[in-house]
Amino acid sequence: MAEKKDHGGQEKQKASPAERLARKLKKREKQRAANIVRASEMHAERIAFKTPDAQSHNKLETFNIGCSGWFYWHWRGGFYPAEMPTKSWFSHYSDNFPTVELNAPFYSWPTVKTVKEWLRQMEGKDFVYTVKVCELITHVKRMSRTRTLVEDFGLIADLLGEKMGCFLFQLPPSYHYSAARLKTLLGQLDPSRRNVVEFRHKSWWNERVYAAFRKTGTIFCSCSGPRLPDELVKTADDVYIRFHGLTKWYRHDYTDEELQLWVSRIRDSGCKRVWAYFNNDRDGHAIRNAKEFTRQLRAL
């Protein structure tokens, strides 16, 4: 096994794959324990929160196109100039895109202080956040008896105000369709929010689901991803698409023709607003693809 020097000059053995996995699992365990505490703290914040007398409503763009996340070390030297400090990365990103899909809240339930920092960093810009809902709700509790947690997480939208886009609820591949699950899932959502649900099992692509989503105004997330139905599903005035890659997750570089297919689907759907986020962050494909997709949409 290869060895390297640590800062003290001593030989330090490189971690094996098993050791790296063990560290990752330990970190995830700590995050999940912390999420329970943070959720409890946000519950108290929500109960004490006073809604402003005159709530502002955001005038959203027709096309809200961006990337799934913005802080990737492998974008340094490419999208982010090598000499640019990380504290300037978000400003650079928001100069190029009007929105971002925040993935970090999925792993770590954000604090009120964190949400206020999101507001501060976009001050003076026409920009909206879409927030991926914490896995405590979607993966740990699997949308069962989570209504209070969903309401607590919804405080994020109240804090962001006009800067709030969608809440993205992503369910795991093991979460297969059943009529009971569909009823339970929709019963947990707060209809006053802009809710998007992303499934990772193809059994959810069926007319019973679509009808229930239309009835509740829930947005069905269309996916471009391996082994998932390749189609645009419209269950509300807004459509929402996540681009993960065609044959490999997070690595595919979409051609102009592949993007044009989705543009045609959007045109034919008659939707009023588009949300699309590129999750193929490898080699900066998401950056190039999101810009090209925006160009094609605006050329309609």
Side-chain angles (χ1 to χ4, degrees), residues 97 253 259 282-293:
F97 298 102
D253 186 8
L259 295 176
R282 293 294 180 182
D283 300 318
H285 296 324
I287 298 294
R288 294 189 299 275
N289 293 166
K291 288 185 175 182
E292 173 59 22
F293 195 54

Side-chain angles (χ1 to χ4, degrees), residues 103-120:
N103 284 321
F106 173 79
Y107 300 101
S108 181
W109 188 298
T111 64
V112 169
K113 180 180 179 181
T114 297
V115 178
K116 290 181 177 179
E117 176 61 21
W118 296 346
L119 275 172
R120 186 202 63 76

Side-chain angles (χ1 to χ4, degrees), residues 62-65 222 224 230-234 239-243 254-276 278 288-300:
T62 301
F63 303 130
N64 300 276
I65 316 299
S222 302
S224 174
D230 186 60
E231 59 183 279
L232 180 68
V233 178
K234 177 177 175 291
V239 295
Y240 194 106
I241 311 164
R242 299 192 84 206
F243 290 90
Y254 288 88
T255 66
D256 291 357
E257 291 74 23
E258 288 166 348
L259 295 176
Q260 183 61 53
L261 175 61
W262 283 94
V263 170
S264 298
R265 291 168 174 170
I266 289 169
R267 178 196 61 208
D268 295 341
S269 74
C271 67
K272 294 183 179 179
R273 184 177 295 112
V274 180
W275 303 87
F278 286 79
R288 294 189 299 275
N289 293 166
K291 288 185 175 182
E292 173 59 22
F293 195 54
T294 301
R295 186 195 68 77
Q296 291 190 20
L297 285 171
R298 295 196 181 284
L300 279 176

Side-chain angles (χ1 to χ4, degrees), residues 33-294:
N35 284 339
I36 296 173
V37 175
R38 291 181 174 184
S40 177
E41 291 172 348
M42 187 165 280
H43 175 77
E45 295 275 5
R46 178 176 67 84
I47 299 303
F49 182 77
K50 294 183 178 180
T51 304
D53 293 334
Q55 277 193 300
S56 57
H57 296 280
N58 50 350
K59 296 180 180 178
L60 296 170
E61 296 290 334
T62 301
F63 303 130
N64 300 276
I65 316 299
C67 301
S68 297
W70 57 272
F71 196 100
Y72 294 104
W73 287 110
H74 53 275
W75 285 3
R76 173 177 253 168
F79 178 60
Y80 297 121
E83 67 280 3
M84 178 180 288
T86 56
K87 66 180 181 180
S88 300
W89 283 12
F90 180 81
S91 180
H92 182 73
Y93 175 90
S94 58
D95 285 341
N96 285 267
F97 298 102
T99 184
V100 70
E101 184 184 77
L102 292 175
N103 284 321
F106 173 79
Y107 300 101
S108 181
W109 188 298
T111 64
V112 169
K113 180 180 179 181
T114 297
V115 178
K116 290 181 177 179
E117 176 61 21
W118 296 346
L119 275 172
R120 186 202 63 76
Q121 68 183 3
M122 71 160 94
E123 190 173 353
K125 294 190 176 187
D126 291 327
F127 192 90
V128 294
Y129 287 113
T130 277
V131 184
K132 190 174 180 182
V133 174
C134 186
E135 67 164 359
L136 173 62
I137 295 172
T138 58
H139 285 58
V140 177
K141 294 186 175 293
R142 295 166 70 89
M143 300 301 298
S144 178
R145 299 181 181 179
T146 57
R147 189 160 188 170
T148 298
L149 284 173
V150 170
E151 290 178 354
D152 295 339
F153 200 82
L155 177 62
I156 293 172
D158 294 328
L159 294 170
L160 290 179
E162 63 179 8
K163 301 299 184 180
M164 180 67 197
C166 305
F167 279 123
L168 172 66
F169 294 79
Q170 182 200 83
L171 281 302
S174 59
Y175 193 81
H176 298 187
Y177 167 78
S178 75
R181 277 182 172 172
L182 174 61
K183 182 179 179 180
T184 299
L185 167 63
L186 293 177
Q188 305 302 297
L189 303 182
D190 181 348
S192 69
R193 310 299 187 188
R194 191 176 295 104
N195 299 311
V196 181
V197 181
E198 179 187 21
F199 299 107
R200 289 292 179 88
H201 192 271
K202 62 182 181 181
S203 60
W204 290 92
W205 273 256
N206 71 69
E207 288 298 333
R208 292 180 293 277
V209 174
Y210 304 158
F213 271 45
R214 293 188 189 102
K215 187 175 181 179
T216 56
T218 308
I219 303 170
F220 188 99
C221 180
S222 302
C223 296
S224 174
R227 299 175 298 283
L228 293 174
D230 186 60
E231 59 183 279
L232 180 68
V233 178
K234 177 177 175 291
T235 59
D237 288 338
D238 294 17
V239 295
Y240 194 106
I241 311 164
R242 299 192 84 206
F243 290 90
H244 301 292
L246 292 180
T247 58
K248 291 184 178 181
W249 292 94
Y250 322 126
R251 298 175 181 272
H252 183 72
D253 186 8
Y254 288 88
T255 66
D256 291 357
E257 291 74 23
E258 288 166 348
L259 295 176
Q260 183 61 53
L261 175 61
W262 283 94
V263 170
S264 298
R265 291 168 174 170
I266 289 169
R267 178 196 61 208
D268 295 341
S269 74
C271 67
K272 294 183 179 179
R273 184 177 295 112
V274 180
W275 303 87
Y277 295 98
F278 286 79
N279 200 23
N280 53 335
D281 59 272
R282 293 294 180 182
D283 300 318
H285 296 324
I287 298 294
R288 294 189 299 275
N289 293 166
K291 288 185 175 182
E292 173 59 22
F293 195 54
T294 301

Side-chain angles (χ1 to χ4, degrees), residues 10-48:
Q10 301 294 318
E11 287 189 348
K12 185 177 180 180
Q13 194 174 49
K14 184 178 179 180
S16 67
E19 289 170 332
R20 290 196 297 271
L21 177 60
R23 285 202 296 263
K24 182 179 179 180
L25 292 175
K26 187 175 182 179
K27 178 182 178 181
R28 298 291 294 113
E29 185 179 340
K30 287 184 177 179
Q31 283 180 320
R32 287 180 170 177
N35 284 339
I36 296 173
V37 175
R38 291 181 174 184
S40 177
E41 291 172 348
M42 187 165 280
H43 175 77
E45 295 275 5
R46 178 176 67 84
I47 299 303

